[in-house]
Amino acid sequence: RYTCDVSSRENVEELAKKIQSEVGDVNILINNAGILCCRPFLQQTANQIEQVVQVNLMGKHIHIQTHTQLERPVLLTMKLY
Protein backbone atom coordinates (compact mmCIF):
# COMPACT_ATOMS: atom_id res chain seq x y z
CA ARG A 1 0.00 0.00 0.00
CA TYR A 2 1.36 3.38 -1.00
CA THR A 3 0.26 6.69 0.50
CA CYS A 4 1.46 10.28 0.24
CA ASP A 5 0.39 13.89 0.66
CA VAL A 6 -0.97 14.66 -2.81
CA SER A 7 -0.56 18.40 -2.23
CA SER A 8 3.21 18.00 -1.80
CA ARG A 9 5.18 17.78 -5.04
CA GLU A 10 8.17 16.34 -3.14
CA ASN A 11 6.05 13.56 -1.56
CA VAL A 12 4.47 12.65 -4.89
CA GLU A 13 7.81 12.59 -6.73
CA GLU A 14 9.47 10.46 -4.02
CA LEU A 15 6.62 7.97 -4.02
CA ALA A 16 6.49 7.81 -7.83
CA LYS A 17 10.18 6.93 -7.96
CA LYS A 18 9.74 4.32 -5.22
CA ILE A 19 6.80 2.72 -7.03
CA GLN A 20 8.67 2.72 -10.33
CA SER A 21 11.66 0.99 -8.74
CA GLU A 22 9.53 -1.56 -6.86
CA VAL A 23 6.78 -2.25 -9.40
CA GLY A 24 7.88 -0.83 -12.74
CA ASP A 25 6.06 1.42 -15.17
CA VAL A 26 2.62 2.68 -14.20
CA ASN A 27 0.01 2.09 -16.88
CA ILE A 28 -3.01 3.45 -15.03
CA LEU A 29 -3.03 6.32 -12.57
CA ILE A 30 -6.13 6.91 -10.47
CA ASN A 31 -6.04 10.00 -8.32
CA ASN A 32 -9.04 9.76 -6.04
CA ALA A 33 -7.92 12.21 -3.37
CA GLY A 34 -10.10 15.11 -2.36
CA ILE A 35 -11.17 17.13 0.63
CA LEU A 36 -14.23 19.21 1.45
CA CYS A 37 -14.86 21.98 3.93
CA CYS A 38 -18.45 21.56 5.12
CA ARG A 39 -19.54 25.11 5.79
CA PRO A 40 -20.81 27.99 3.67
CA PHE A 41 -18.14 29.46 1.43
CA LEU A 42 -18.07 32.87 3.11
CA GLN A 43 -17.54 31.22 6.50
CA GLN A 44 -14.41 29.41 5.33
CA THR A 45 -11.01 30.83 6.13
CA ALA A 46 -8.51 31.61 3.39
CA ASN A 47 -6.35 28.77 4.73
CA GLN A 48 -9.22 26.26 4.38
CA ILE A 49 -9.92 27.36 0.80
CA GLU A 50 -6.22 27.19 -0.10
CA GLN A 51 -5.99 23.66 1.31
CA VAL A 52 -9.01 22.51 -0.74
CA VAL A 53 -7.51 24.01 -3.92
CA GLN A 54 -4.07 22.54 -3.17
CA VAL A 55 -5.42 19.00 -2.69
CA ASN A 56 -8.32 18.93 -5.15
CA LEU A 57 -6.81 20.90 -8.03
CA MET A 58 -3.05 21.10 -7.66
CA GLY A 59 -2.84 17.49 -6.44
CA LYS A 60 -4.18 16.33 -9.81
CA HIS A 61 -1.74 18.58 -11.66
CA ILE A 62 1.22 17.33 -9.61
CA HIS A 63 0.27 13.69 -10.23
CA ILE A 64 -0.09 14.13 -13.98
CA GLN A 65 3.15 16.10 -14.27
CA THR A 66 5.12 13.60 -12.19
CA HIS A 67 3.73 10.63 -14.09
CA THR A 68 4.55 12.11 -17.49
CA GLN A 69 8.08 13.02 -16.39
CA LEU A 70 8.88 9.51 -15.16
CA GLU A 71 7.09 7.53 -17.86
CA ARG A 72 6.88 7.80 -21.59
CA PRO A 73 4.77 10.82 -22.56
CA VAL A 74 1.03 10.16 -22.58
CA LEU A 75 -1.66 11.93 -24.52
CA LEU A 76 -4.13 13.64 -22.23
CA THR A 77 -7.37 14.85 -23.72
CA MET A 78 -10.02 16.88 -21.95
CA LYS A 79 -13.44 17.84 -23.23
CA LEU A 80 -14.84 21.10 -22.01
CA TYR A 81 -18.60 21.52 -22.18
Side-chain angles (χ1 to χ4, degrees):
R1 181 177 176 192
Y2 299 98
T3 59
C4 74
D5 175 359
V6 298
S7 67
S8 166
R9 182 174 303 276
E10 294 79 27
N11 283 184
V12 172
E13 289 174 353
E14 284 177 22
L15 183 60
K17 290 175 185 174
K18 179 179 179 182
I19 291 171
Q20 189 174 39
S21 71
E22 292 179 5
V23 179
D25 288 344
V26 174
N27 295 318
I28 298 173
L29 176 65
I30 300 171
N31 182 344
N32 195 31
I35 61 172
L36 176 65
C37 187
C38 297
R39 62 174 58 165
F41 182 75
L42 293 177
Q43 293 178 9
Q44 296 177 35
T45 66
N47 192 22
Q48 289 170 322
I49 294 168
E50 288 172 5
Q51 186 179 21
V52 169
V53 169
Q54 190 64 27
V55 170
N56 296 355
L57 176 63
M58 294 308 298
K60 309 305 187 259
H61 181 263
I62 292 167
H63 271 95
I64 292 169
Q65 246 186 358
T66 300
H67 180 71
T68 56
Q69 288 171 357
L70 292 176
E71 306 287 335
R72 58 199 170 278
V74 296
L75 176 62
L76 301 173
T77 58
M78 301 177 76
K79 290 185 179 180
L80 302 175
Y81 296 96

